[in-house]
Amino acid sequence: MHNLLSSLRVDINSSLYLKDPESSSLGINIVKSSIDLIDLHGIEEFNFKKLAKAIGSTESSIYRYFENKHRLLLYISSLYWGIMEFQTVVQTNNMPDGMERLMKAVETLFSTPQTKCTSFEVEGQKLRHILNSEFVKAYHHKLVDEENEAGYFSIYKRLALRLSEMIAGVNANYRYNNSLASLIIEGSLNQYFLSEHFHNLTDCHSKDNLYEFYKDLLTKTLTS
Amino acid sequence: MHNLLSSLRVDINSSLYLKDPESSSLGINIVKSSIDLIDLHGIEEFNFKKLAKAIGSTESSIYRYFENKHRLLLYISSLYWGIMEFQTVVQTNNMPDGMERLMKAVETLFSTPQTKCTSFEVEGQKLRHILNSEFVKAYHHKLVDEENEAGYFSIYKRLALRLSEMIAGVNANYRYNNSLASLIIEGSLNQYFLSEHFHNLTDCHSKDNLYEFYKDLLTKTLTS
DNA sequence: TTTAAATGATAGTATTACTATTAACTTCGC
DNA sequence: GCGAAGTTAATAGTAATACTATCATTTAAA
């Protein structure tokens, strides 16, 4: 299994970057350090000048890898969803029972991403924290339709469709499998944010609680 | 009822503005026109220079009402949630049956806001469209905890808690009423966005569909 | 009618998000 | 080991944004 993990690679849409960051140590530094900085200060406070300073390089060098910070955020987001998809596939592989599969997928979605299967040895917690806070900004903007067309969200959508299919596998008569899948994936980001910043708008303050909440919701919705 | 509607006023946290926009025609113009512009071009493209031009005033005059565009967005958001809360309360008033009450509240949440009960005669559709696209940006930032502390999200939170209490009224043993309430309110914004921009990540492309999806979810979750 | 308050007009600053240019360093084929 | 090609660094510059400041003018209230 370890070999499989290290040989597989998250395949990120190549139009998200100008030069593949995995192709050089500077590129890897750009991604790793940007994850540190965005995790720490948020995307608004983050810019290429600060990033350049942090890695001891220059703005112009960073611009050779990414057109702008928005694209970099999309790259980081794809990295996250790619890892999540990979883990979901690995974890649910060869599970014959539909409900068990679905629950395993949900549990995986609420877990910390394993960054081992990438070139970037970053803390999965940081990656998830970034996605919790910043992913909504990656698609809530004027050019979302163009970017969606260009495939910048394809990994995210593929994961949602996988989940949707798993839901259909549990109950083929359920009419809202796509909406339910989106609801869960959104929740996997948002409920953590609520716990951190709007404490009494959620009852889930641990991964276990969250899993229980969605398990209950899904079991009742799909089997009653 | 009409008198009640016109005499009641959505009470917005006064630290969101420097000078109450409802106190002058310029203030009302600022809010009305900003809703038009943000609806049309999104919050990133929007700035006080463009707003000033649109209403035939100046940047400096607008800065006398709102400290910055972020505060203005928070003001508009409070307006939306205030209307939603008001409508929910009016619509569910005197309903003895808990489930019926909850369903009416959900239906109201997915409806277009009635702006009659404000000083701003704007199209409710625009207001909802802005919230669908921009509300997440109102709290996904570095200063969220400070702003939350200052009460900038109090109407939103009060609405979530009302919904949470309604859920508890249906099933007192359900342990996740806060999380479920947040999930519904988030969904009332997000599922519309999905329908518009990520069409096949949802099955709900009308208000009726959405209502059915959540009705099914809530009925099964709370009564089985 | 006087006075204060509100608004307009204009100018200016710091920061951001880039673009352009040139110089220096690295790497790779030969 | 050498030169060419590619990569990165250093520096400078631009347009737009998000304000702040000042003072003149208009409007409203006492």
Side-chain angles (χ1 to χ4, degrees), chain B residues 69-222:
Chain B
K69 77 170 171 181
H70 173 63
R71 290 284 169 92
L72 176 52
L73 177 61
L74 288 172
Y75 183 92
I76 292 170
S77 301
S78 293
L79 195 63
Y80 176 86
W81 294 116
I83 294 169
M84 283 312 198
E85 186 192 24
F86 174 74
Q87 279 177 218
T88 303
V89 170
V90 169
Q91 296 278 342
T92 61
N93 198 25
N94 290 325
M95 280 186 138
D97 181 62
M99 186 54 102
E100 214 179 307
R101 257 170 79 90
L102 177 59
M103 289 310 164
K104 180 51 94 176
V106 170
E107 197 196 339
T108 308
L109 271 179
F110 284 97
S111 304
T112 309
Q114 298 293 322
T115 53
K116 283 170 198 161
C117 59
T118 72
S119 314
F120 313 103
E121 298 148 30
V122 292
E123 283 168 54
Q125 297 276 8
K126 290 184 184 176
L127 208 46
R128 197 181 61 199
H129 183 245
I130 290 176
L131 270 282
N132 289 342
S133 300
E134 317 294 353
F135 182 59
V136 290
K137 300 171 200 166
Y139 59 89
H140 276 109
H141 57 78
K142 218 190 169 185
L143 301 176
V144 58
D145 295 331
E146 279 176 45
E147 295 191 347
N148 189 18
E149 192 69 27
Y152 294 176
F153 303 103
S154 56
I155 303 180
Y156 172 72
K157 292 197 293 185
R158 205 169 56 208
L159 178 58
L161 290 178
R162 278 184 199 277
L163 200 62
S164 176
E165 278 162 21
M166 286 188 206
I167 292 169
V170 171
N171 180 345
N173 296 316
Y174 185 66
R175 292 174 54 204
Y176 301 108
N177 45 325
N178 292 303
S179 292
L180 192 57
S182 296
L183 182 149
I184 292 163
I185 293 183
E186 276 298 308
S188 78
L189 300 179
N190 191 51
Q191 294 277 342
Y192 278 111
F193 189 88
L194 290 179
S195 174
E196 195 177 342
H197 299 288
F198 293 88
H199 196 266
N200 43 12
L201 294 192
T202 180
D203 312 285
C204 305
H205 302 293
S206 72
K207 191 197 137 189
D208 290 349
N209 269 150
L210 269 169
Y211 176 63
E212 281 300 317
F213 169 51
Y214 282 97
K215 185 181 175 182
D216 176 79
L217 198 76
L218 285 168
T219 309
K220 288 175 179 165
T221 301
L222 297 174

Side-chain angles (χ1 to χ4, degrees), chain A residues 167-219:
Chain A
I167 292 169
V170 171
N171 179 346
N173 296 317
Y174 185 67
R175 293 174 54 205
Y176 301 108
N177 45 327
N178 291 303
S179 292
L180 192 57
S182 295
L183 182 148
I184 292 163
I185 293 183
E186 276 298 308
S188 77
L189 300 178
N190 191 51
Q191 294 276 340
Y192 278 111
F193 189 89
L194 289 179
S195 174
E196 195 178 341
H197 300 288
F198 292 89
H199 196 266
N200 44 11
L201 294 192
T202 181
D203 312 285
C204 305
H205 302 293
S206 72
K207 191 198 137 188
D208 290 350
N209 269 151
L210 269 169
Y211 176 65
E212 281 300 317
F213 169 51
Y214 282 96
K215 184 181 174 182
D216 176 79
L217 199 77
L218 286 169
T219 309

